[in-house]
Amino acid sequence: MFWKFIKYPLYFLFLLNTLQSQVTSPDAFLGFSLGERFVHHHQVVSYFKEEAQRNKANVIYSQYGTTNEGNPLFVVIISSADNIKRIESIRKAHLASISNNGQAVNPDDKCIVWYSYNVHGNEASGTDAAIMTYYKIMTDPQFEEKFKDIIFILDPCLNPDGRERYVNWFYSVSGASPNSNVKTREHQEPWPGGRTNHYYFDLNRDWAWQTQVESQARMKLYHQWMPQVHADFHEQSYNDPYYFAPAAEPYHKAITSFQRSFQIVIGRKIANAFDKYGWLYFTNERFDLFYPSYGDTYPIYNGAIGMTFEQAGGRSAGLSVQTRDGETLTLKDRILHHTTAGLTTLDAVRENISEVMNEFQKYFQNDKDERYFSFDLKMEDYERGRSFRQLLDRNQIRYSYALRADFSSLLQIPLSQQKNKLINILMEDRSELSDSLTYDITAWNIPKAYGLKYKITTKKSTEESVKQVFGNIKNAYGYAIDWQGGNCLKALSYLLQQNVKVRYAQKEFSIDSKNYRPGTLVILNEGNNRNKPLNDIINYVSSAYQIPIFPISGGMVDSGNDMGSEMMRLIHPPKVVLLTGEGTSSLSAGEVWFYFDKELEYPINLIQTDQFQSLNLDEVNVLILPDGYYSFLNDSTQSETLEKWVRQGGKIIALEGSIDQLSGLKWMQLKRKKLQRESSEKNKYADLRKYDERERNSLSRYIQGAIYKTDLDNSHPLAFGYPAYYYSLKTDNTFYEYMKDGWNVGTIRKNPEYVGFVGSAVGEFSDALITGVKDVGLGEVIFFTDDVLFRNFWENGKLMFTNAVFLVGQ
């Protein structure tokens, strides 16, 4: 009996001392106190690698990817020694329990808690807080007991490229001691800032779409674990108090009552912890749970408790900053607040662990939903269908797919599966808003984004796929590629870079008993005399890009224009410049840069706006102006130079806000539409507004990411490859009048069809230009009033943008 009370406590004390002695304090490892300086990513990697090596019984270091700039993406997995020994069996048991239609919790299952930090690179305290959180957890005397039922996954930096960009800049402009004056240069981060990744994408809007390498790698690991709890650590303005759950309305209707109520449980727990120190905070404001691609909503729509934490700081905080209240906010303060919120959240989960796990299981009970989203895709939808399947694969959504001999296909998504709720959310045509004050877009219907039609059925298809062989094309007079986006665009890019002469059909034609649409690419042996046979190149393209290429037997067609007609226009390889830098939207510029660099794989020259005056326009024939404001357009000499270049054959592609500035030039003659006035009787009281309703009243003039169905003139090369309509995502209230002397290719007419939130003063709009082309001398100016490359997930806009670059004006 004596040894029962003496021997074992001594043994556990020995184990505790051994564990703590193997955990290196961040200060000892780094050589400075955490919070005195920003930690570089290579130091973070080294620290956690060493910790995993020294504490193998409790810590696993796992690299899950690499960024565009070569930085490692990794997590550390932390739990009790017993759990770490059988970590793989625990993971499999967890996944098995939710794939079984949400049946009873597996006794081997554990609660998976995942923390994510620094998705925005210049919200820089996150990574440092992750290190401190790890250290506090590992040196807790009750560690083994506290983590016997929890597998804790910690991702210290989701965006190393952006964070390193910010940290390196900060060190380059700061002195030996931090300056708290926010007007000094160490608080004035330059373009493009460190918020975004290498290609200037906001990774916190990419959870569902997974267009970026960081998101793709992380979500592959995420789906291998499917946590019950996910917390996303951010920073906001340095003047704002700390924010934690519960979130503000609107909540999506798919969020369960438990997911709502447990936010309150966690919020009250954190509030109590913050109250002990007298720290300020707020809840139920600003940050809602609606848009499906955030670090809180995406986990929620996958069954988890998802939360956002927002610490005062951000791009202007540096190591120390004086707030408007006269307080000094330091990096150490920011680390401490995040660490406290993180540790307290773990306590709240631990205290309610059975309920958290049981409710997570219930989320996946779909009551045998026997419906199917059924897509009967035509041959011209082949590439859109391919891109759509990639999105489904990345989200681990099951589907059946049958490819037919004519390259049409049938795709069915069964709703009787684990991802039932996520599917319904991504596919919903009209999202119900409980409050119009929301943080992001209010419509995202995936079929509209991809340009696909579907129906809902209860009939399961038994159709089997036909095996297609690519790259087995016999030598012919010429070859045709249907123009439909996706890999067809990459094929054109490759052919032009191989100096292959490619034409496109301006009108429909038929030959060899096959009909071809306007925009069809035509590659003829004539004019393509090369060292390497053209047929070899064609077969390589078909095989490499998995696209159908059809042989053409001769130059005379059955209907339409013959191969030698001027209606078969030769595509001259464009020499493209994208303006970047101060004045431009880094997000808009990044979308174009990424599209050329990673998808089209076509050369593009990025030129800073302040270098425009020195740009040799004779070496350029396509100039892309991303969303922004261009000071050089206010200079009459430079504006005249630009006009002369266009008149001589240059082409401008103007995106969003840049159009507003171009429209003011004398040679443009494009008019912006004004908001319609209310009736004179109502207008008498227009100025009688309530002060406490000022924010909500302002929404009457806004569009919060609504989808408009626009009419397309698909006889114009800008709309080749499209039906007579296009769904455009509109994120502002900017509309333009029809051009009297130009091509109004995409328009809104009377009573347009739209989904999403549109303010009452905007909803009356009709008869507006969305997309157009203005001929100026021998050149063109192409207008995209909406973002056709939005976050790179608006798949159906990419073909139109490519038309603007390669087809219009040839």
Side-chain angles (χ1 to χ4, degrees), residues 3 102 195 211 214 279 352 363 409 421 552 587-589 603 655 689 697 745 753 806:
W3 288 109
R195 177 183 177 88
T211 70
E214 297 92 342
W279 297 339
N352 299 273
Y363 189 88
S409 59
K421 292 183 176 62
I552 296 173
L587 296 175
S588 179
L655 308 178
R689 298 167 294 167
N697 287 336
V745 180
E753 174 189 326
F806 291 95

Side-chain angles (χ1 to χ4, degrees), residues 512-555:
D512 303 325
S513 302
K514 184 171 178 58
N515 296 324
Y516 294 94
R517 300 184 297 161
T520 297
L521 301 182
V522 175
I523 307 101
L524 305 176
N525 271 296
E526 174 65 28
N528 276 310
N529 299 319
R530 316 167 41 82
N531 294 328
K532 187 174 183 179
L534 178 62
N535 184 255
D536 290 352
I537 297 173
I538 291 298
N539 276 298
Y540 169 79
V541 168
S542 177
S543 177
Y545 297 107
Q546 295 287 288
I547 59 172
I549 300 180
F550 303 98
I552 296 173
S553 61

